[in-house]
Amino acid sequence: MESGWCWEQQTLIAELVQGMELAKQLRAHLNATSSVESRDELLQRILASYERALLILNWGGSMGQPQSVGVSAGVPESPISINGSSRSDEFDGGVKDNQGYNEASKKRKTTPRWTDHVRVSPENGLEGPHDDGYSWRKYGQKDILGAKYPRSYYRCTYRNTQNCWATKQVQRSDEDPTIFEITYRGTHTCAHGNQSIPSPEKQEKKQKNTNNNYQQQQSQQALYNFQNSLKVITEDLDNKEMVSPFSFPSAYGCSKNVSSYSPSFISPATPEPTHYSVSPFQMNNFVGAHNLQHLESDFTEIISTNTSATNSPIVDLDFSLDQVELDPNFPFDTPGFFS
DNA sequence: CAGATTTGACCGTT
DNA sequence: AACGGTCAAATCTG
């Protein structure tokens, strides 16, 4: 934690360089008779790479706030990403009592939180929020004041077995019942969730229909289709940090604290605002879930929707955000940085 | 029978 | 005191 920036610099450079390389590859593909898939993949990887780079810059630079946001959001489950729904980060956490005293007791308060809005199209036969690739277990439901529909509370199925404290709340929109507002809290530290990436939602669905078979098989295809069917609701992004809720990159790590969890994967982001995790795989994989429809969107949106990296095994590298600051001397002129 | 869901009670925060 | 979030016993499901 102490010497975090160095790593960030390296990561930033690495991300940008990677993006450049991928762009070159894509260019080559444009001439060749490569498949659309390969181009898409390259494209997504490029976007992901730049997104991570921006995240780094954003963190460092701005307002010096604990942008837990991004991180946290990062990946936990970013359903969003999958469908590209918007993520309105509202982390409540951090700043205030981020001093880090009693972690346990303040866990809730400091846990980053972000909200996704997912619209389910009737034609898809999906009645609830899509599945975000993780396994959730409902632990409560409550009628919320002023809300027409009750709010459902879910926690990771592996809370006990893998000490995964990710939770989410699902609330159906009053105005448009086809829209579900999903608020995620904490990030997954469990190893699951990846496998079944995007399957049509299952949790809410369970309550209504019961067919959750197709999870894994059609994951990819389903994901793609599902994405297109979901409507992204973007709420005043202006107010949001440009930080992507999701994952990111690699590097933050100058800090050593490599996760306290034993497994080789860990969550993309820990509940503590000052923690960030990094997944080596995310660098290359998470993009998969990103979707094309964002291509036309603006930068902000792209950034805010990222996601899915939820799947890959993750290495949790904790580090303190407080350490992250944009270094005025950052070597942007590093060779190869922009070429 | 194990695991998931339901639901009223309990607790912390505001 | 009200509200939101979580717990946990009862119940359901495969």
Side-chain angles (χ1 to χ4, degrees):
Chain A
M1 276 226 193
E2 293 90 280
S3 62
W5 195 213
C6 50
W7 245 117
E8 275 138 27
Q9 290 183 342
Q10 291 173 26
T11 301
L12 178 58
I13 293 170
E15 290 291 353
L16 292 171
V17 169
Q18 181 182 358
M20 183 179 68
E21 291 303 319
L22 290 169
K24 288 178 181 177
Q25 289 179 45
L26 178 59
R27 183 176 55 189
H29 277 263
L30 291 176
N31 300 325
T33 56
S34 61
S35 66
V36 176
E37 290 73 27
S38 61
R39 291 180 193 174
D40 286 345
E41 182 182 341
L42 284 170
L43 197 51
Q44 301 209 11
R45 291 177 62 185
I46 291 169
L47 290 173
S49 188
Y50 283 123
E51 182 173 347
R52 289 187 292 264
L54 286 168
L55 281 173
I56 294 171
L57 289 172
N58 188 15
W59 275 334
S62 49
M63 24 221 109
Q65 283 191 341
Q67 11 279 124
S68 46
V69 187
V71 177
S72 50
V75 185
E77 1 193 321
S78 15
I80 318 160
S81 28
I82 295 176
N83 40 15
S85 52
S86 69
R87 196 172 246 150
S88 44
D89 304 315
E90 39 175 300
F91 21 109
D92 57 0
V95 188
K96 153 145 115 177
D97 34 38
N98 187 6
Q99 303 299 336
Y101 310 116
N102 184 338
E103 289 187 25
S105 65
K106 305 206 172 188
K107 182 170 281 186
R108 188 189 300 176
K109 277 187 172 180
T110 58
T111 298
R113 170 167 95 166
W114 61 100
T115 304
D116 288 333
H117 289 237
V118 178
R119 165 168 282 176
V120 179
S121 302
E123 59 260 33
N124 286 305
L126 298 177
E127 297 183 19
H130 68 290
D131 184 8
D132 47 35
Y134 283 95
S135 182
W136 301 98
R137 176 168 176 166
K138 188 174 183 177
Y139 66 85
Q141 178 171 303
K142 235 181 182 306
D143 286 320
I144 299 303
L145 192 69
K148 188 182 298 181
Y149 303 96
R151 176 177 299 167
S152 296
Y153 299 85
Y154 298 84
R155 66 173 171 74
C156 180
T157 299
Y158 310 103
R159 169 174 285 196
N160 299 324
T161 58
Q162 294 185 38
N163 196 36
C164 179
W165 292 85
T167 64
K168 76 171 180 180
Q169 299 174 359
V170 177
Q171 171 107 51
R172 181 169 247 176
S173 171
D174 287 346
E175 309 86 64
D176 187 345
T178 64
I179 294 176
F180 286 81
E181 184 173 298
I182 306 173
T183 300
Y184 294 87
R185 280 186 172 178
T187 56
H188 285 272
T189 56
C190 62
H192 306 67
N194 315 333
Q195 338 357 358
S196 59
I197 299 189
S199 60
E201 46 81 324
K202 65 184 161 196
Q203 41 253 355
E204 286 285 320
K205 174 167 56 182
K206 276 185 184 174
Q207 300 181 2
K208 306 159 183 180
N209 302 332
T210 27
N211 114 26
N212 348 308
N213 279 339
Y214 55 138
Q215 287 211 150
Q216 315 217 333
Q217 308 121 311
Q218 314 191 327
S219 53
Q220 286 299 8
Q221 185 60 47
L223 171 56
Y224 187 82
N225 294 334
F226 193 61
Q227 291 179 336
N228 293 326
S229 67
L230 293 171
K231 177 178 184 176
V232 176
I233 295 161
T234 310
E235 346 182 305
D236 56 313
L237 290 173
D238 298 322
N239 295 330
K240 321 285 182 195
E241 313 259 350
M242 267 260 297
V243 181
S244 152
F246 91 98
S247 74
F248 65 48
S250 45
Y252 274 134
C254 288
S255 62
K256 9 341 213 19
N257 235 337
V258 175
S259 102
S260 35
Y261 297 95
S262 47
S264 53
F265 47 67
I266 296 205
S267 82
T270 64
E272 294 298 319
T274 53
H275 279 148
Y276 288 80
S277 354
V278 179
S279 164
F281 292 97
Q282 290 175 334
M283 290 262 291
N284 301 313
N285 297 339
F286 82 107
V287 243
H290 220 103
N291 91 22
L292 316 177
Q293 44 189 44
H294 290 310
L295 293 178
E296 70 226 345
S297 55
D298 66 274
F299 223 30
T300 301
E301 183 168 358
I302 289 174
I303 288 182
S304 66
T305 44
N306 178 351
T307 301
S308 69
T310 72
N311 310 325
S312 25
I314 300 165
V315 174
D316 185 29
L317 301 176
D318 304 8
F319 68 94
S320 167
L321 283 183
D322 298 337
Q323 303 290 328
V324 182
E325 285 188 20
L326 188 56
D327 181 346
N329 299 315
F330 184 82
F332 282 99
D333 54 336
T334 298
F337 193 70
F338 285 126
S339 72

